Amino acid sequence: MIAFIALLCWMFALLCHGLLQPKIQRLLGVGCKHRALLQGLRLVLPLAALAVCMRQPMPLALLLWLGMFSLGGLMAGGMLSVASVRARKPRAEA
Amino acid sequence: MAFAYLCTLGLFFLVVGRPGNMLFQSIGLAVMPLLIVGLFALPGRVPGGGAGLFVLAMPLMQAGGL
Amino acid sequence: MRDILRNRMGWLHTWVGFVSGLVLVVVFTGGTLAMFDTEITRWMQPELAMLPQAPLTAEGLNHAGEQVQALREKEQTVFLALPSVRDPVLRILHYDGHAFVGPALDPRDGTDLNVRQTQGGQLFFDLHQSLYRGPVWGNMVTEVVGIGLLVAVLSGLIIHFRNLVPDLVLFRPFAAPGRAWLDAHLMAGVLMLPFIVMITYTGVVIHGPRLFPMISNGHGGKAGRPGHDRAHDAAPFAPLAPMWKQAEAVFGEGNIGFIRFEPRAVSFYRSDAADFVMTRDRVDFSPRDGQQIGVKRDERGDQSLGGIIRGLHYVRWGTLGLRWLYFICGAIGSAMMSAGLVLFVIKYRRTHGGTVRLALAEALTLAVTLGLPLASLGFLWSNRLIDPSLAHRELLEAKVFFLLWLCALLHGVLRSCTGLVRTAWREQAWGIAALGCGLPLLDVVSRRATAFTPGLDVYLAVDACAFGIGILALWGQSMIVHDR
């Protein structure tokens, strides 16, 4: 459960990070409406993941936190690439 | 790379004084890749021919049971 | 100035990355599979499937001790591995040059369970740590490529320094093939950076004495492998059970990993799973009367640092979830390096297309990327197809593995030299799909007569992983078709 929560935290944090990048915004065809909120979440969620992981003994907590960063990042990257493929289709058809 | 290898080896013997110290061995093995990258980043060439021969001798020393 | 640095780092990353990468994919894939070496060995000994999870008894241990004694009288050097959560049987093991092999015994009464002999998951462990080439040369090569990986990581970080953070989760599958592979390589590389640096550095330090034999301190060196003691003293030793109880009183219940038999002592070693810091703490007993001689603990300081590094790398103390995390990170790390190899051949196709050198590079890339999983699945197939009672069958299984891998390389060379490298990728992907998707069926059929009971166990896990790899290969080959 701890790993799952940490994974979600990292995934959403890196999703926010991705949505803040101009390259990804262009790929998705979106602007950045909630910049401050996304920046806040990007900062807070990894700390929340760390706080959750710290319930485990060291060094398991640290390994878990870093491991979930990797997996969460891959999931966020996967979601953003699926979204960019979908956003690309209507533009390509047009 | 051979030069970096020699530098790392030199580091062991210079700094440690007592070969086999685990802490310095760990530091040395962290320094070696940094040295290789640093040496490649430097303009010009670094002396490496003699060091190359030394590195080639290492496996022989190892196989000889050193 | 910045461009010169990038060019220099680009050259270093490309060439060190490619040359080391060919070996590193093997090392990483082997290490990833070795994370579950015990479980793979259990899968490869289906005779154990029906054995109920039972605690070790005094009778079982004493009976096992008698069998060890009989082997010692025949001048065989063996040790006794005690049951654990991961492997619930007693094992009398000896080192055959690549793996610890030997009979498995029932922990309740010490009777021989007559399991088939196999190197099991230890083949992957040996492939990981020494490329199956022994502890001197093999270790040295893996050590050198480990340093190569650290160099490639550092140079890669310098090349992509400005875009590391902004492109952290950027992947464009619809981009040109080279760009898409680069995105995948970068994204996986940067996201896996903590794991890759940690696992590589700890691995390099563990085998450091191989690279610097003149500073060897016995850490990861020649010393201390169970089963290597040459001295034999076949005098009978006292029953093991009372010693075991005393050893458990020192290290805690269930924390004894294995027992070594030496002329002057019977040593009970603390299990690697007992603590994060991996040590060789032991309790020694007199073989004649079973009296405790003493407790030997690794010294603090230097040894403790070594124990931490080993603990981080081998993660034998870890929970099942942590081992799965290592497994997934290792698999993604292998894929990232394979993507780097593919990038290399794509880059040089433009300038060196049609040359023998490039064909060889393409074939080697294919052999480590798809040939290795193909051979690994073939290894599992051979386990169920080779007669369980055949003498030295464990060596035959290993031969099947390497023969299949060699065939994959030759197939790659032939196809690359005739300009059909994409066909070679598709064909080997089909091979993986067939072997992977067929493995669960083979497991069910081959266990039907003896021990098939469906459940959430190692058999299901291995079957599911093989099936997943098969499906992934099917998808991969269809992507190659669409990419035309």
Side-chain angles (χ1 to χ4, degrees):
Chain A
M1 193 62 188
I2 286 173
F4 183 67
I5 294 170
L7 179 67
L8 285 182
C9 287
W10 268 120
M11 192 185 77
F12 284 116
L14 291 166
L15 214 50
C16 294
H17 172 75
L19 289 170
L20 282 165
Q21 305 309 316
K23 271 187 201 170
I24 292 176
Q25 286 169 5
R26 276 198 298 278
L27 283 173
L28 296 176
V30 295
C32 193
K33 291 174 190 166
H34 309 288
R35 194 171 181 82
L37 177 69
L38 291 175
Q39 281 176 333
L41 284 173
R42 182 174 67 172
L43 190 72
V44 168
L45 285 173
L47 296 175
L50 182 62
V52 171
C53 287
M54 289 306 280
R55 294 169 69 92
Q56 295 280 358
M58 286 297 269
L60 180 61
L62 195 62
L63 289 172
L64 210 53
W65 188 64
L66 291 172
M68 291 307 133
F69 157 75
S70 303
L71 298 190
L74 286 174
M75 287 172 75
M79 287 165 76
L80 288 171
S81 39
V82 168
S84 62
V85 169
R86 284 190 179 171
R88 195 180 144 83
K89 271 184 188 165
R91 273 185 279 164
E93 283 164 12
Chain B
M1 289 195 195
F3 190 68
Y5 181 89
L6 267 189
C7 286
T8 312
L9 199 59
L11 183 88
F12 283 140
F13 284 104
L14 278 174
V15 180
V16 181
R18 180 169 65 91
N21 187 308
M22 183 68 200
L23 177 65
F24 284 100
Q25 189 179 312
S26 310
I27 295 170
L29 286 165
V31 166
M32 191 172 162
L34 287 169
L35 266 172
I36 293 172
V37 173
L39 289 170
F40 263 86
L42 285 176
R45 290 178 62 83
V46 289
L53 282 176
F54 187 80
V55 173
L56 282 175
M58 279 305 106
L60 296 174
M61 290 166 74
Q62 172 81 21
L66 200 148
Chain C
M1 184 67 190
R2 183 183 287 163
D3 284 343
I4 293 171
L5 181 68
R6 274 177 60 110
N7 284 342
R8 279 169 172 263
M9 290 300 111
W11 187 90
L12 190 65
H13 187 78
T14 304
W15 284 100
V16 172
F18 182 73
V19 176
S20 306
L22 287 172
V23 182
L24 282 165
V25 173
V26 179
V27 172
F28 253 67
T29 308
T32 302
L33 292 169
M35 194 43 60
F36 288 111
D37 57 350
T38 308
E39 288 76 8
I40 292 173
T41 304
R42 277 175 65 193
W43 188 94
M44 293 177 81
Q45 291 179 329
E47 296 83 3
L48 296 176
M50 286 296 278
L51 189 75
Q53 191 93 20
L56 177 64
T57 63
E59 182 201 350
L61 187 59
N62 286 336
H63 190 193
E66 288 161 15
Q67 291 173 66
V68 168
Q69 180 61 35
L71 288 170
R72 281 165 57 81
E73 281 166 7
K74 292 179 195 165
E75 297 228 325
Q76 286 188 30
T77 302
V78 294
F79 69 100
L80 190 61
L82 300 194
S84 65
V85 177
R86 291 178 67 193
D87 190 23
V89 291
L90 273 163
R91 288 183 190 272
I92 299 175
L93 299 174
H94 69 274
Y95 188 60
D96 73 352
H98 296 289
F100 294 106
V101 292
L105 313 176
D106 192 325
R108 293 168 296 183
D109 54 14
T111 51
D112 193 340
L113 291 164
N114 289 319
V115 294
R116 65 189 69 192
Q117 284 307 301
T118 177
Q119 291 187 348
Q122 287 189 52
L123 179 132
F124 299 115
F125 184 81
D126 198 29
L127 198 64
H128 166 68
Q129 69 153 6
S130 64
L131 304 168
Y132 214 74
R133 299 305 311 157
V136 178
W137 293 100
N139 271 171
M140 202 181 298
V141 173
T142 51
E143 179 75 9
V144 170
V145 296
I147 297 275
L149 177 56
L150 293 175
V151 169
V153 165
L154 281 170
S155 53
L157 284 175
I158 294 170
I159 297 167
H160 299 287
F161 186 71
R162 279 166 63 188
N163 293 323
L164 275 183
V165 178
D167 292 353
L168 191 60
V169 287
L170 178 68
F171 177 52
R172 291 160 286 189
F174 41 78
R179 186 74 239 179
W181 279 106
L182 183 61
D183 276 352
H185 180 68
L186 281 177
M187 190 172 87
V190 178
L191 287 169
M192 289 291 150
L193 197 64
F195 175 78
I196 288 171
V197 170
M198 180 276 289
I199 208 80
T200 309
Y201 177 66
T202 51
V204 162
V205 173
I206 286 168
H207 290 301
R210 286 280 172 255
L211 198 62
F212 297 100
M214 67 297 285
I215 58 155
S216 175
N217 59 355
H219 172 79
K222 293 160 190 156
R225 249 192 146 159
H228 272 198
D229 51 335
R230 293 191 181 280
H232 287 283
D233 182 358
F237 45 76
L240 294 175
M243 304 185 216
W244 170 51
K245 287 293 169 199
Q246 288 182 64
E248 281 204 326
V250 175
F251 293 134
E253 197 176 331
N255 282 342
I256 305 300
F258 61 93
I259 307 169
R260 271 182 78 174
F261 304 89
E262 286 160 80
R264 290 184 191 144
V266 175
S267 305
F268 284 66
Y269 283 77
R270 196 182 70 148
S271 164
D272 292 340
D275 189 23
F276 160 62
V277 181
M278 195 169 145
T279 63
R280 282 286 169 257
D281 294 351
R282 65 181 199 264
V283 187
D284 291 340
F285 295 92
S286 164
R288 272 187 302 173
D289 53 12
Q291 288 292 312
Q292 186 174 322
I293 299 171
V295 180
K296 302 258 170 62
R297 293 184 193 272
D298 282 356
E299 289 170 24
R300 298 296 107 186
D302 257 20
Q303 291 289 339
S304 181
L305 180 63
I308 289 170
I309 285 171
R310 282 168 172 248
L312 273 174
H313 191 87
Y314 294 116
V315 75
R316 288 184 185 147
W317 55 277
T319 58
L320 182 64
L322 188 64
R323 282 206 304 280
W324 271 110
L325 184 62
Y326 268 56
F327 180 87
I328 294 167
C329 289
I332 295 168
S334 300
M336 181 274 292
M337 288 173 213
S338 294
L341 297 179
V342 171
L343 274 170
F344 178 92
V345 290
I346 287 176
K347 183 180 170 186
Y348 283 93
R349 253 180 222 160
R350 291 176 209 140
T351 50
H352 293 75
T355 61
V356 175
R357 275 186 301 174
L358 184 74
L360 191 63
E362 300 242 31
L364 288 169
T365 300
L366 178 59
V368 296
T369 305
L370 295 189
L372 180 58
L374 185 81
S376 305
L377 287 167
F379 176 59
L380 297 182
W381 272 76
S382 73
N383 174 258
R384 296 300 172 85
L385 296 179
I386 295 172
D387 183 356
S389 58
L390 201 68
H392 304 299
R393 65 182 304 289
E394 70 273 20
L395 299 177
L396 202 57
E397 283 178 5
K399 278 180 186 164
V400 169
F401 172 79
F402 286 108
L403 198 65
L404 268 175
W405 200 6
L406 182 67
C407 288
L409 174 66
L410 293 176
H411 170 251
V413 170
L414 282 174
R415 287 298 198 194
S416 304
C417 288
T418 49
L420 294 169
V421 70
R422 288 166 69 90
T423 313
W425 279 83
R426 280 194 61 207
E427 286 166 350
Q428 293 203 14
W430 268 114
I432 293 174
L435 291 179
C437 294
L439 194 73
L441 192 65
L442 176 72
D443 182 32
V444 170
V445 171
S446 60
R447 280 200 293 143
R448 195 183 46 177
T450 53
F452 181 70
T453 44
L456 280 172
D457 51 17
V458 290
Y459 301 94
L460 182 69
V462 173
D463 291 349
C465 283
F467 190 76
I469 290 167
I471 295 293
L472 204 63
L474 264 183
W475 174 77
Q477 77 81 27
S478 71
M479 291 303 288
I480 297 171
V481 175
H482 288 305
D483 201 32
R484 274 186 189 281

